[in-house]
Structures are given as C-alpha cells and as structure tokens.
Amino acid sequence: MANKRDFKKSIDAIGGAVCNEMMIAYYNVEGADKNAIASSIEKVLAAVTKAKDNANVFFDKGVKAFADKAEYTKSKAAFFKALFAKIHMEFGEELNAAVKEFNEAIPADVKKANKEATAN
C-alpha cells in the first residue's frame, strides 16, 4: 500500500463489497439462514474495524536512533511493509471465515442453481 489512508480505503471497499453481497442474499434468497448471514456480516464488519484500528500505528524510533537518515528511512519502510502485510493476512483470514459461514447459510438448491447458471 502507498500509505495508511489508501490501505484503510481498500479495507473499507473490500468489506463493503462483501457485506453488500451478503445483504443481497439475506433479503433475496429463499430459505437462507438469516441468523447465520447476520453473524457473517458482523464478522466482516468486525474484521474491517480491527484492520483499520491495527493500521493506526506509528514508527516508534526517531532519526537519532540510526546512523543516518537513509538507514532510518529503510527501517521505517520495512516496518510498515511488514505491518501492513500482517494486517492484510489477518483480515483475509477473518474475511474467509465469514464467507465460509455465509456459504453454509445458503441452501444447497440455490448453490446448485448458481453453479449451473455460471457454467453456461
């Protein structure tokens, strides 16, 4: 990510898109387990909030802690790269768990119809 703001915007966009699809299924799929879908949506929203909160971190060392400014810049960039990679991985895992729960809430006949529709 280019910066924290872009990272947070992408997390919001991904979470919003997933929640939107879940809400469409919540209101339009006959026989879907609405409680499980609501729980999935809550998990997605919690994952978004957690990822955005975890991104609110600052590099705790100053320029004087390093030999020169180039070393400081390199260390700071490596810190944020590792931080965002970790947050992104955790967000993906939580999102996958929510989507898995959501998929289990959809009736088998609807899943079958969706597979047939996409195969043609």
Side-chain angles (χ1 to χ4, degrees):
M1 276 303 125
N3 58 35
K4 287 181 191 180
R5 183 175 355 142
D6 290 341
F7 181 78
K8 289 180 179 183
K9 284 181 181 180
S10 71
I11 294 293
D12 271 337
I14 293 167
V18 171
C19 284
N20 186 43
E21 293 299 320
M22 289 180 177
M23 292 299 291
I24 290 170
Y26 182 89
Y27 288 110
N28 296 316
V29 174
E30 294 285 328
D33 183 0
K34 293 188 184 284
N35 290 331
I37 294 174
S39 174
S40 299
I41 292 169
E42 289 174 6
K43 287 181 181 180
V44 171
L45 294 175
V48 168
T49 302
K50 181 180 172 188
K52 288 172 60 177
D53 287 346
N54 287 342
N56 289 332
V57 175
F58 295 96
F59 190 58
D60 61 345
K61 297 179 183 174
V63 178
K64 293 182 181 182
F66 297 92
D68 58 359
K69 181 137 174 112
E71 188 178 327
Y72 166 76
T73 303
K74 184 178 176 181
S75 180
K76 183 177 177 182
F79 170 79
F80 280 112
K81 184 176 181 179
L83 174 71
F84 287 134
K86 181 178 185 267
I87 294 170
H88 192 295
M89 182 189 68
E90 290 174 354
F91 176 70
E93 290 171 354
E94 292 173 10
L95 201 63
N96 286 337
V99 170
K100 184 177 180 181
E101 181 181 339
F102 168 75
N103 286 336
E104 292 171 357
I106 303 298
D109 58 329
V110 173
K111 289 180 194 177
K112 183 179 178 184
N114 288 342
K115 283 183 182 179
E116 291 173 359
T118 58
N120 295 329

